[in-house]
Amino acid sequence: MKKIVIVESPKKAKEIAHFLGKDFIVKATVGHFKDLPEDEMGVDLKNYEPKFVIKSPNHKKILAEIKKAAEDAEVYIATDPDREGYAIGYFMWEELKKKAKQIKRAEFHEITKDHVQEKIKNAEDFEKTNFGLFKAFLGRRVGDRIVGYILSPIASREIGGKFSVGRVQSPAVRLIVEREREIMNFKPTPYYVISAILEKNNTKFVAIYEKQKIEDKQQAEELYQDIKDEKTAKVEKIEKKQVKQSPKPPFTTSTLQQTANSIYRFPAERTMSLAQDLFESGLITYHRTDSTRISEKAINEIRKLIQKEFGDEYLPKSPRVYKSKNTQADAHEAIRITNFVNLEKQRQLVEEKGLSEDHFKLLKLIYERTLACQMADALFERTNVTLNIKNHTFKASGSVLKFKGFKAVYDFEEEEEETQNLPKLENGESIKIDTIKMEEKWTKPPPRYTEGSLVKKLEELGIGRPSTYATIIKTIKDRGYVVKEGSSLKPTQQAFDLIDYLNQKYGWVIDYNFTKKMEEFLDKVEENKKDWKEFVKELHQKSISKVKSAVSKKMLDYALDLAKKHGKDIDHILNDPEKIKEFIDNHADKKPSEKQVEYAKALSEKTGLRLTDKELSDKKALKKWIDKAKKEAMKNYQLSEKQKNVLIKYGREDLIEKPAEALKFIASKLKKFKK
């Protein structure tokens, strides 16, 4: 019997084919092959049934090939082990269940020979799998479509301009806007720090007055005047203690995105793209997870590697066990390496797979965290000294690393206070004072979010899930709600306008608690404890129970111009958006402008697409034709070096291979610059 394995990615298909041999044919769906239609809502609002369509002619062709191959075959659906992956698998199951002899489900958490063969061997009938995963996908996809399709046009009309509203993206925009307002409203206040620089045996160290921040300038001045000429400080108390520092747990999606952003400045989307390649090349475990669990087998291999590379003293007596807050998450593993070899050999593997230096950087990070999480504690000796200067108490502390432990492999990203080396001190001795100084400092506003700190905040608030953080950030950047300044996310005026509007009219969309509750509801759907249509119904009802719409200035001005042109009096309908819209529809010029016609003809020459009289005489039809022709023209468009440099400057290298999105982004920057 023929055996067919179905995955999403051609790269993963190629890798898996090596492991399974000639008895298996491995096919790729190339991502989601079905989705809601692009040009309509695609949801029946009476019963919430969605209309999923094949995404593109290419996907249609791929599906036909898979169907043909699956005739009377044993099919293994091995799409990714999360909701999105399961949904692709479910759609495929629906397409093949009448053709294939048998359909099974295999979940690959790593693309290694043993793992793939074991999962194929133990695959279960697709019908016995958890359909709750598909229902949770439906709830998210259909619910988000309804919110977006109902509220985005209303917001665009009422604010004036093009705005998009999203169940998860809008709360993320709110976070960034609120942080910016905190920064704008922040009033720095002064405070004073008095410190003494002391010296013994040619070693200088700093002691700070016990009240580290003095807010009263006069009090600070009086203290400084009292002690500024003192020449010695007396040691009153010395405390020494051993301090242990334990390693952090292995990476989850969220912590990987945060750390890669903090260390390499990788945007969340870039991290996920690199991790996807590493996973598909068999170098790391599945990268969409909120689990910190590592399998027993992997722990044994990690411990052997630590012993070989660092020695016995770096190995705790027993393995470290990390548990996730969400017990459901522990069905998966944390993100870890799959080849238990040293860093030099990890680099060789990256090169063999034809991957880039950025891939190696991310793999190195995962390698280091994988080892560190199973290594011994770092040991410090911390010394705290209390000193007396003219009956005023000053404190100095120092820390000495006694044993590196996990820091031998992973020594960054730790939030540690600055430490200093202290000379050997004894109780009661007098220490020479080099200088005493009083500094005026100012309180600082909170920092803007970076992509890493935004992911952390979204996770804290329960907004989104591991598979969606990168998409949320990409969406709010692409829609022009935030721009990157260095590594910080700064909201645009559009973001302020949107959040002010939603606050006033649709506060529930940006309510953090409501968004969290909705995510928890979807988790219950996944566990088959709640109905996905209940989720969608609540979002639908909230979207349509709206405050009376206002007429935007843009719409009003246009209507008044039309009224003047046609000699009509519209004073009686100025406050009714529906009637204003109806008036505009009835009186707006249906013919395209000369400029539009010229542009369309130029596009026709460039692309070879035919222009008919119908399009040339109907404004709406011509606009549709132009949109189609622009997409066609984009297929062969090459960005100039200057355009590429603009993308690099704003950290959007990911758009270099997407000319249409790139030009849109560059235009938004130029528009902002002109303002």
Side-chain angles (χ1 to χ4, degrees):
M1 197 192 295
K2 279 189 297 181
K3 293 179 179 181
I4 314 289
V5 177
I6 297 165
V7 294
E8 296 102 322
S9 134
K11 189 175 181 182
K12 188 162 48 160
K14 202 174 167 185
E15 201 72 29
I16 287 163
H18 291 318
F19 305 145
L20 295 175
K22 59 181 186 343
D23 294 343
F24 287 84
I25 297 166
V26 188
K27 294 277 187 187
T29 65
V30 189
H32 276 279
F33 66 95
K34 266 187 170 183
D35 199 1
L36 293 172
E38 275 185 28
D39 50 359
E40 57 171 302
M41 185 184 280
V43 178
D44 184 334
L45 293 177
K46 293 185 189 76
N47 58 15
Y48 303 120
E49 283 300 323
K51 177 177 89 179
F52 285 99
V53 296
I54 308 295
K55 274 179 79 175
S56 69
N58 187 41
H59 283 103
K60 207 168 194 172
K61 189 180 155 201
I62 289 165
L63 182 59
E65 285 171 11
I66 292 174
K67 279 181 166 179
K68 194 177 174 186
E71 293 265 7
D72 293 322
E74 194 173 286
V75 174
Y76 294 85
I77 291 175
T79 47
D80 283 348
D82 60 10
R83 281 178 202 166
E84 298 296 313
Y86 187 87
I88 296 169
Y90 184 94
F91 283 131
M92 191 53 77
W93 171 71
E94 280 190 322
E95 295 283 345
L96 303 181
K97 61 185 175 184
K98 288 179 183 167
K99 293 183 177 294
K101 197 120 188 163
Q102 192 177 26
I103 302 179
K104 294 188 168 191
R105 169 75 171 148
E107 283 189 2
F108 302 144
H109 295 268
E110 56 184 83
I111 310 300
T112 55
K113 189 174 181 177
D114 289 351
H115 184 84
V116 167
Q117 289 179 346
E118 184 202 336
K119 291 294 180 180
I120 289 288
K121 188 181 164 189
N122 298 320
E124 62 176 336
D125 288 343
F126 198 92
E127 288 184 31
K128 289 179 182 169
T129 60
N130 177 19
F131 284 8
L133 281 155
F134 181 68
K135 290 168 187 168
F137 159 80
L138 280 180
R140 183 198 64 74
R141 191 72 190 92
V142 174
D144 288 356
R145 173 57 68 100
I146 286 173
V147 171
Y149 255 71
I150 292 176
L151 296 187
S152 298
I154 297 171
S156 300
R157 187 172 71 239
E158 296 192 355
I159 305 168
K162 195 170 182 190
F163 289 85
S164 81
V165 180
R167 180 184 66 86
V168 180
Q169 77 179 50
S170 296
V173 175
R174 178 187 164 190
L175 277 169
I176 292 164
V177 164
E178 284 181 345
R179 176 59 57 91
E180 195 67 19
R181 286 208 159 116
E182 272 182 72
I183 294 166
M184 287 157 71
N185 297 330
F186 185 82
K187 289 184 173 59
T189 56
Y191 65 93
Y192 303 88
V193 175
I194 296 176
S195 58
I197 296 167
L198 308 164
E199 187 179 352
K200 182 184 177 185
N201 298 339
N202 294 323
T203 300
K204 288 186 178 180
F205 63 100
V206 180
I208 309 280
Y209 177 59
E210 64 178 339
K211 191 180 175 190
Q212 290 183 0
K213 289 183 178 182
I214 306 170
E215 282 158 12
D216 184 325
K217 188 178 183 180
Q218 191 183 339
Q219 187 190 344
E221 283 279 7
E222 284 171 6
L223 174 61
Y224 175 67
Q225 289 302 328
D226 188 33
I227 62 171
K228 69 182 174 68
D229 298 322
E230 290 298 301
K231 299 296 176 210
T232 58
K234 189 181 177 188
V235 177
E236 289 198 327
K237 192 177 174 189
I238 301 169
E239 283 179 303
K240 287 192 179 199
K241 57 178 176 178
Q242 292 282 325
V243 178
K244 286 181 183 177
Q245 190 181 344
S246 297
K248 291 188 172 184
F251 281 129
T252 61
T253 304
S254 158
T255 54
L256 179 64
Q257 287 175 3
Q258 290 168 45
T259 310
N261 183 251
S262 160
I263 292 166
Y264 298 132
R265 296 282 179 264
F266 287 164
E269 188 195 356
R270 176 78 176 138
T271 298
M272 292 311 277
S273 165
L274 294 168
Q276 179 88 33
D277 292 341
L278 291 172
F279 168 65
E280 288 176 359
S281 301
L283 302 180
I284 63 168
T285 49
Y286 191 54
H287 54 295
R288 291 190 176 95
T289 176
D290 50 6
S291 171
T292 52
R293 184 183 71 82
I294 292 181
S295 73
E296 205 175 308
K297 189 179 169 190
I299 287 175
N300 290 336
E301 293 297 330
I302 295 163
R303 283 172 67 84
K304 279 184 211 167
L305 182 58
I306 293 165
Q307 195 171 28
K308 188 179 167 191
E309 293 295 308
F310 297 94
D312 286 342
E313 76 254 53
Y314 284 87
L315 207 55
K317 283 194 177 79
S318 54
R320 292 184 184 273
V321 177
Y322 298 96
K323 286 252 176 179
S324 306
K325 291 174 216 162
N326 169 8
T327 50
Q328 200 186 350
D330 280 336
H332 302 293
E333 272 195 77
I335 303 168
R336 60 162 173 83
I337 54 168
T338 51
N339 298 281
F340 303 99
V341 292
N342 67 21
L343 200 55
E344 197 182 321
K345 286 179 182 154
Q346 299 284 349
R347 184 183 272 286
Q348 282 171 16
L349 289 167
V350 167
E351 287 165 4
E352 280 165 22
K353 302 286 181 187
L355 299 174
S356 68
E357 184 58 28
D358 278 359
H359 286 101
F360 176 67
K361 281 181 178 175
L362 195 69
L363 180 61
K364 179 175 181 280
L365 204 56
I366 294 164
Y367 166 86
E368 289 167 346
R369 185 85 160 226
T370 303
L371 264 65
C373 80
Q374 288 302 324
M375 286 171 80
D377 291 338
L379 295 178
F380 295 87
E381 184 179 76
R382 188 158 290 157
T383 307
N384 294 320
V385 182
T386 306
L387 299 116
N388 184 311
I389 302 176
K390 205 178 175 184
N391 293 326
H392 298 290
T393 302
F394 279 69
K395 295 195 170 180
S397 61
S399 197
V400 179
L401 181 63
K402 290 290 189 183
F403 175 63
K404 278 187 170 182
F406 73 91
K407 283 180 171 285
V409 69
Y410 190 85
D411 190 17
F412 45 80
E413 194 231 334
E414 307 293 335
E415 290 170 15
E416 287 173 13
E417 56 193 274
E418 282 184 42
T419 59
Q420 60 183 340
N421 286 325
L422 297 178
K424 195 175 178 195
L425 300 169
E426 287 175 23
N427 266 325
E429 75 171 310
S430 290
I431 308 293
K432 180 188 162 196
I433 296 175
D434 188 78
T435 44
I436 291 178
K437 57 180 182 177
M438 179 176 112
E439 293 171 277
E440 181 180 65
K441 296 190 176 186
W442 293 81
T443 52
K444 289 179 181 172
R448 283 184 180 136
Y449 285 107
T450 61
E451 292 202 19
S453 61
L454 183 62
V455 165
K456 189 177 182 182
K457 190 68 180 173
L458 290 170
E459 189 181 33
E460 273 173 24
L461 292 171
I463 295 170
R465 286 294 179 261
S467 56
T468 59
Y469 300 135
T471 316
I472 294 166
I473 294 171
K474 181 184 186 300
T475 302
I476 64 178
K477 286 195 293 191
D478 289 352
R479 300 268 157 86
Y481 292 127
V482 297
V483 290
K484 278 184 93 168
E485 283 196 359
S487 60
S488 301
L489 297 172
K490 184 185 177 187
T492 59
Q493 186 54 47
Q494 234 184 325
F496 284 100
D497 293 345
L498 177 72
I499 296 307
D500 288 345
Y501 170 79
L502 292 175
N503 251 327
Q504 192 188 347
K505 293 283 185 77
Y506 301 97
W508 63 270
V509 181
I510 51 172
D511 182 304
Y512 302 136
N513 207 35
F514 177 75
T515 310
K516 180 185 179 180
K517 267 168 41 189
M518 289 286 100
E519 294 291 358
E520 287 167 353
F521 194 108
L522 285 177
D523 290 343
K524 293 272 193 298
V525 171
E526 189 176 314
E527 293 164 28
N528 295 297
K529 291 174 183 171
K530 292 276 186 187
D531 180 359
W532 71 271
K533 285 190 177 180
E534 219 183 298
F535 174 86
V536 171
K537 187 180 179 183
E538 182 167 1
L539 290 173
H540 179 218
Q541 286 176 342
K542 280 185 172 292
S543 298
I544 56 176
S545 62
K546 58 189 174 68
V547 192
K548 187 171 165 53
S549 299
V551 182
S552 75
K553 187 178 183 305
K554 200 174 175 183
M555 191 180 183
L556 194 60
D557 290 346
Y558 184 47
L560 289 167
D561 283 346
L562 282 176
K564 194 176 176 184
K565 187 178 171 184
H566 292 278
K568 301 279 182 185
D569 177 14
I570 58 168
D571 285 356
H572 60 293
I573 61 164
L574 289 181
N575 291 319
D576 190 327
E578 295 307 317
K579 286 189 176 164
I580 286 280
K581 189 176 180 299
E582 193 182 325
F583 175 79
I584 290 170
D585 288 344
N586 292 334
H587 294 85
D589 197 351
K590 300 283 190 292
K591 283 192 173 183
S593 66
E594 279 180 38
K595 207 172 174 182
Q596 256 180 317
V597 171
E598 276 174 40
Y599 180 52
K601 284 178 177 174
L603 274 174
S604 178
E605 277 180 44
K606 195 174 179 180
T607 59
L609 287 174
R610 193 165 152 261
L611 256 176
T612 67
D613 289 341
K614 185 195 170 197
E615 280 119 10
L616 290 169
S617 60
D618 185 309
K619 198 173 188 174
K620 214 170 184 178
L622 189 62
K623 187 181 180 303
K624 207 170 179 181
W625 184 93
I626 286 171
D627 288 343
K628 184 183 167 189
K630 272 159 71 176
K631 278 181 189 170
E632 192 62 35
M634 270 304 127
K635 286 179 184 174
N636 301 313
Y637 187 86
Q638 295 289 316
L639 293 175
S640 69
E641 287 307 310
K642 200 172 178 183
Q643 288 168 324
K644 287 178 186 174
N645 288 336
V646 172
L647 296 174
I648 291 163
K649 181 185 172 187
Y650 289 100
R652 294 310 309 270
E653 296 93 326
D654 56 303
L655 296 182
I656 287 173
E657 300 301 322
K658 301 171 187 171
E661 289 179 48
L663 290 177
K664 204 172 168 186
F665 178 79
I666 291 165
S668 74
K669 291 288 152 220
L670 290 173
K671 190 177 171 188
K672 185 176 176 249
F673 182 70
K674 280 175 187 168
K675 279 183 185 175

mmCIF file of all heavy atoms in Angstrom, residues 312-336:
data_model
loop_
_atom_site.group_PDB
_atom_site.id
_atom_site.type_symbol
_atom_site.label_atom_id
_atom_site.label_comp_id
_atom_site.label_asym_id
_atom_site.label_seq_id
_atom_site.Cartn_x
_atom_site.Cartn_y
_atom_site.Cartn_z
ATOM 1 N N ASP A 312 32.630 17.116 35.775
ATOM 2 C CA ASP A 312 31.636 16.676 36.767
ATOM 3 C C ASP A 312 31.119 17.778 37.679
ATOM 4 O O ASP A 312 29.954 17.765 38.071
ATOM 5 C CB ASP A 312 32.233 15.560 37.645
ATOM 6 C CG ASP A 312 32.314 14.252 36.880
ATOM 7 O OD1 ASP A 312 31.615 14.150 35.852
ATOM 8 O OD2 ASP A 312 33.082 13.359 37.285
ATOM 9 N N GLU A 313 32.012 18.724 38.055
ATOM 10 C CA GLU A 313 31.564 19.720 39.055
ATOM 11 C C GLU A 313 30.476 20.650 38.512
ATOM 12 O O GLU A 313 29.805 21.355 39.258
ATOM 13 C CB GLU A 313 32.751 20.525 39.617
ATOM 14 C CG GLU A 313 33.299 21.580 38.681
ATOM 15 C CD GLU A 313 34.631 21.201 38.048
ATOM 16 O OE1 GLU A 313 34.732 20.109 37.447
ATOM 17 O OE2 GLU A 313 35.549 22.018 38.176
ATOM 18 N N TYR A 314 30.319 20.666 37.163
ATOM 19 C CA TYR A 314 29.302 21.538 36.557
ATOM 20 C C TYR A 314 27.944 20.839 36.437
ATOM 21 O O TYR A 314 26.990 21.397 35.916
ATOM 22 C CB TYR A 314 29.772 22.013 35.174
ATOM 23 C CG TYR A 314 30.816 23.099 35.283
ATOM 24 C CD1 TYR A 314 32.175 22.787 35.410
ATOM 25 C CD2 TYR A 314 30.446 24.445 35.304
ATOM 26 C CE1 TYR A 314 33.133 23.778 35.541
ATOM 27 C CE2 TYR A 314 31.401 25.449 35.440
ATOM 28 C CZ TYR A 314 32.734 25.102 35.555
ATOM 29 O OH TYR A 314 33.664 26.102 35.692
ATOM 30 N N LEU A 315 27.891 19.612 36.942
ATOM 31 C CA LEU A 315 26.681 18.810 36.812
ATOM 32 C C LEU A 315 26.007 18.643 38.174
ATOM 33 O O LEU A 315 26.607 18.114 39.101
ATOM 34 C CB LEU A 315 27.094 17.441 36.269
ATOM 35 C CG LEU A 315 26.096 16.620 35.468
ATOM 36 C CD1 LEU A 315 25.553 17.399 34.284
ATOM 37 C CD2 LEU A 315 26.771 15.346 34.984
ATOM 38 N N PRO A 316 24.747 19.111 38.337
ATOM 39 C CA PRO A 316 24.063 18.882 39.624
ATOM 40 C C PRO A 316 23.880 17.377 39.843
ATOM 41 O O PRO A 316 23.853 16.610 38.877
ATOM 42 C CB PRO A 316 22.706 19.567 39.447
ATOM 43 C CG PRO A 316 22.768 20.319 38.171
ATOM 44 C CD PRO A 316 23.872 19.758 37.348
ATOM 45 N N LYS A 317 23.739 16.986 41.122
ATOM 46 C CA LYS A 317 23.587 15.548 41.439
ATOM 47 C C LYS A 317 22.403 14.938 40.696
ATOM 48 O O LYS A 317 22.469 13.843 40.179
ATOM 49 C CB LYS A 317 23.409 15.357 42.952
ATOM 50 C CG LYS A 317 24.721 15.481 43.721
ATOM 51 C CD LYS A 317 24.557 14.956 45.150
ATOM 52 C CE LYS A 317 25.866 14.998 45.926
ATOM 53 N NZ LYS A 317 26.191 16.338 46.441
ATOM 54 N N SER A 318 21.288 15.670 40.695
ATOM 55 C CA SER A 318 20.115 15.143 39.978
ATOM 56 C C SER A 318 19.654 16.165 38.936
ATOM 57 O O SER A 318 19.900 17.371 39.081
ATOM 58 C CB SER A 318 18.983 14.841 40.960
ATOM 59 O OG SER A 318 18.714 15.992 41.725
ATOM 60 N N PRO A 319 18.976 15.705 37.897
ATOM 61 C CA PRO A 319 18.530 16.626 36.834
ATOM 62 C C PRO A 319 17.588 17.698 37.370
ATOM 63 O O PRO A 319 16.850 17.480 38.333
ATOM 64 C CB PRO A 319 17.785 15.702 35.862
ATOM 65 C CG PRO A 319 18.252 14.331 36.174
ATOM 66 C CD PRO A 319 18.588 14.315 37.618
ATOM 67 N N ARG A 320 17.617 18.847 36.737
ATOM 68 C CA ARG A 320 16.686 19.931 37.099
ATOM 69 C C ARG A 320 15.367 19.682 36.363
ATOM 70 O O ARG A 320 15.364 19.378 35.172
ATOM 71 C CB ARG A 320 17.241 21.290 36.667
ATOM 72 C CG ARG A 320 18.475 21.713 37.446
ATOM 73 C CD ARG A 320 18.894 23.119 37.029
ATOM 74 N NE ARG A 320 20.133 23.528 37.681
ATOM 75 C CZ ARG A 320 20.210 24.113 38.871
ATOM 76 N NH1 ARG A 320 19.092 24.335 39.561
ATOM 77 N NH2 ARG A 320 21.368 24.475 39.375
ATOM 78 N N VAL A 321 14.258 19.820 37.107
ATOM 79 C CA VAL A 321 12.943 19.608 36.498
ATOM 80 C C VAL A 321 12.199 20.939 36.475
ATOM 81 O O VAL A 321 12.089 21.621 37.499
ATOM 82 C CB VAL A 321 12.128 18.553 37.296
ATOM 83 C CG1 VAL A 321 10.735 18.393 36.703
ATOM 84 C CG2 VAL A 321 12.867 17.212 37.290
ATOM 85 N N TYR A 322 11.737 21.339 35.298
ATOM 86 C CA TYR A 322 10.992 22.594 35.154
ATOM 87 C C TYR A 322 9.551 22.272 34.802
ATOM 88 O O TYR A 322 9.282 21.502 33.894
ATOM 89 C CB TYR A 322 11.604 23.459 34.046
ATOM 90 C CG TYR A 322 13.023 23.877 34.330
ATOM 91 C CD1 TYR A 322 14.105 23.157 33.815
ATOM 92 C CD2 TYR A 322 13.305 24.988 35.122
ATOM 93 C CE1 TYR A 322 15.412 23.528 34.073
ATOM 94 C CE2 TYR A 322 14.613 25.368 35.396
ATOM 95 C CZ TYR A 322 15.664 24.638 34.868
ATOM 96 O OH TYR A 322 16.962 25.009 35.125
ATOM 97 N N LYS A 323 8.637 22.868 35.560
ATOM 98 C CA LYS A 323 7.216 22.630 35.307
ATOM 99 C C LYS A 323 6.595 23.916 34.775
ATOM 100 O O LYS A 323 6.929 25.011 35.224
ATOM 101 C CB LYS A 323 6.502 22.234 36.615
ATOM 102 C CG LYS A 323 6.830 20.814 37.050
ATOM 103 C CD LYS A 323 5.648 19.912 36.834
ATOM 104 C CE LYS A 323 6.005 18.471 37.163
ATOM 105 N NZ LYS A 323 4.879 17.577 36.999
ATOM 106 N N SER A 324 5.660 23.778 33.854
ATOM 107 C CA SER A 324 4.975 24.948 33.307
ATOM 108 C C SER A 324 3.801 25.312 34.205
ATOM 109 O O SER A 324 3.220 24.453 34.843
ATOM 110 C CB SER A 324 4.476 24.643 31.903
ATOM 111 O OG SER A 324 5.555 24.196 31.122
ATOM 112 N N LYS A 325 3.468 26.623 34.212
ATOM 113 C CA LYS A 325 2.307 27.075 34.998
ATOM 114 C C LYS A 325 1.053 26.394 34.452
ATOM 115 O O LYS A 325 0.174 25.977 35.173
ATOM 116 C CB LYS A 325 2.131 28.598 34.856
ATOM 117 C CG LYS A 325 3.224 29.406 35.532
ATOM 118 C CD LYS A 325 3.021 30.886 35.199
ATOM 119 C CE LYS A 325 4.364 31.577 35.040
ATOM 120 N NZ LYS A 325 4.279 32.831 34.328
ATOM 121 N N ASN A 326 1.004 26.294 33.115
ATOM 122 C CA ASN A 326 -0.134 25.680 32.456
ATOM 123 C C ASN A 326 0.191 24.196 32.239
ATOM 124 O O ASN A 326 1.051 23.856 31.440
ATOM 125 C CB ASN A 326 -0.339 26.428 31.124
ATOM 126 C CG ASN A 326 -1.309 25.733 30.210
ATOM 127 O OD1 ASN A 326 -1.963 24.757 30.586
ATOM 128 N ND2 ASN A 326 -1.408 26.217 28.990
ATOM 129 N N THR A 327 -0.474 23.316 32.964
ATOM 130 C CA THR A 327 -0.143 21.881 32.894
ATOM 131 C C THR A 327 -0.397 21.316 31.500
ATOM 132 O O THR A 327 0.277 20.398 31.067
ATOM 133 C CB THR A 327 -0.978 21.075 33.913
ATOM 134 O OG1 THR A 327 -2.341 21.448 33.743
ATOM 135 C CG2 THR A 327 -0.550 21.354 35.322
ATOM 136 N N GLN A 328 -1.353 21.928 30.782
ATOM 137 C CA GLN A 328 -1.664 21.503 29.424
ATOM 138 C C GLN A 328 -0.441 21.682 28.517
ATOM 139 O O GLN A 328 -0.205 20.920 27.590
ATOM 140 C CB GLN A 328 -2.809 22.373 28.911
ATOM 141 C CG GLN A 328 -3.549 21.785 27.745
ATOM 142 C CD GLN A 328 -4.562 22.788 27.208
ATOM 143 O OE1 GLN A 328 -4.822 23.810 27.816
ATOM 144 N NE2 GLN A 328 -5.115 22.501 26.068
ATOM 145 N N ALA A 329 0.367 22.719 28.820
ATOM 146 C CA ALA A 329 1.543 23.028 27.995
ATOM 147 C C ALA A 329 2.551 21.890 28.027
ATOM 148 O O ALA A 329 3.322 21.705 27.093
ATOM 149 C CB ALA A 329 2.202 24.311 28.490
ATOM 150 N N ASP A 330 2.557 21.123 29.106
ATOM 151 C CA ASP A 330 3.591 20.100 29.270
ATOM 152 C C ASP A 330 3.425 18.886 28.350
ATOM 153 O O ASP A 330 4.232 17.969 28.370
ATOM 154 C CB ASP A 330 3.703 19.676 30.738
ATOM 155 C CG ASP A 330 4.527 20.677 31.539
ATOM 156 O OD1 ASP A 330 5.344 21.372 30.908
ATOM 157 O OD2 ASP A 330 4.353 20.777 32.754
ATOM 158 N N ALA A 331 2.381 18.911 27.535
ATOM 159 C CA ALA A 331 2.265 17.868 26.502
ATOM 160 C C ALA A 331 3.399 18.068 25.500
ATOM 161 O O ALA A 331 3.853 17.130 24.858
ATOM 162 C CB ALA A 331 0.921 17.994 25.798
ATOM 163 N N HIS A 332 3.844 19.321 25.364
ATOM 164 C CA HIS A 332 4.956 19.647 24.470
ATOM 165 C C HIS A 332 6.245 19.750 25.278
ATOM 166 O O HIS A 332 6.230 19.669 26.494
ATOM 167 C CB HIS A 332 4.687 20.984 23.765
ATOM 168 C CG HIS A 332 3.415 20.991 22.983
ATOM 169 N ND1 HIS A 332 3.239 20.223 21.867
ATOM 170 C CD2 HIS A 332 2.256 21.673 23.167
ATOM 171 C CE1 HIS A 332 2.022 20.429 21.377
ATOM 172 N NE2 HIS A 332 1.399 21.289 22.156
ATOM 173 N N GLU A 333 7.340 19.968 24.566
ATOM 174 C CA GLU A 333 8.619 20.226 25.245
ATOM 175 C C GLU A 333 8.988 21.687 25.087
ATOM 176 O O GLU A 333 8.430 22.409 24.250
ATOM 177 C CB GLU A 333 9.728 19.371 24.609
ATOM 178 C CG GLU A 333 9.865 17.996 25.207
ATOM 179 C CD GLU A 333 11.189 17.343 24.809
ATOM 180 O OE1 GLU A 333 12.225 17.703 25.391
ATOM 181 O OE2 GLU A 333 11.170 16.480 23.920
ATOM 182 N N ALA A 334 9.983 22.113 25.855
ATOM 183 C CA ALA A 334 10.562 23.446 25.680
ATOM 184 C C ALA A 334 11.336 23.464 24.356
ATOM 185 O O ALA A 334 11.498 22.441 23.704
ATOM 186 C CB ALA A 334 11.512 23.732 26.836
ATOM 187 N N ILE A 335 11.836 24.637 23.977
ATOM 188 C CA ILE A 335 12.680 24.734 22.779
ATOM 189 C C ILE A 335 14.105 24.355 23.193
ATOM 190 O O ILE A 335 14.683 24.990 24.083
ATOM 191 C CB ILE A 335 12.653 26.158 22.189
ATOM 192 C CG1 ILE A 335 11.210 26.580 21.873
ATOM 193 C CG2 ILE A 335 13.532 26.248 20.949
ATOM 194 C CD1 ILE A 335 11.032 28.055 21.552
ATOM 195 N N ARG A 336 14.640 23.314 22.578
ATOM 196 C CA ARG A 336 15.991 22.857 22.922
ATOM 197 C C ARG A 336 16.682 22.326 21.681
ATOM 198 O O ARG A 336 16.053 22.146 20.633
ATOM 199 C CB ARG A 336 15.931 21.760 23.990
ATOM 200 C CG ARG A 336 15.151 20.532 23.543
ATOM 201 C CD ARG A 336 15.431 19.289 24.371
ATOM 202 N NE ARG A 336 14.557 18.176 24.029
ATOM 203 C CZ ARG A 336 14.771 17.346 23.020
ATOM 204 N NH1 ARG A 336 15.824 17.494 22.220
ATOM 205 N NH2 ARG A 336 13.927 16.344 22.778
#
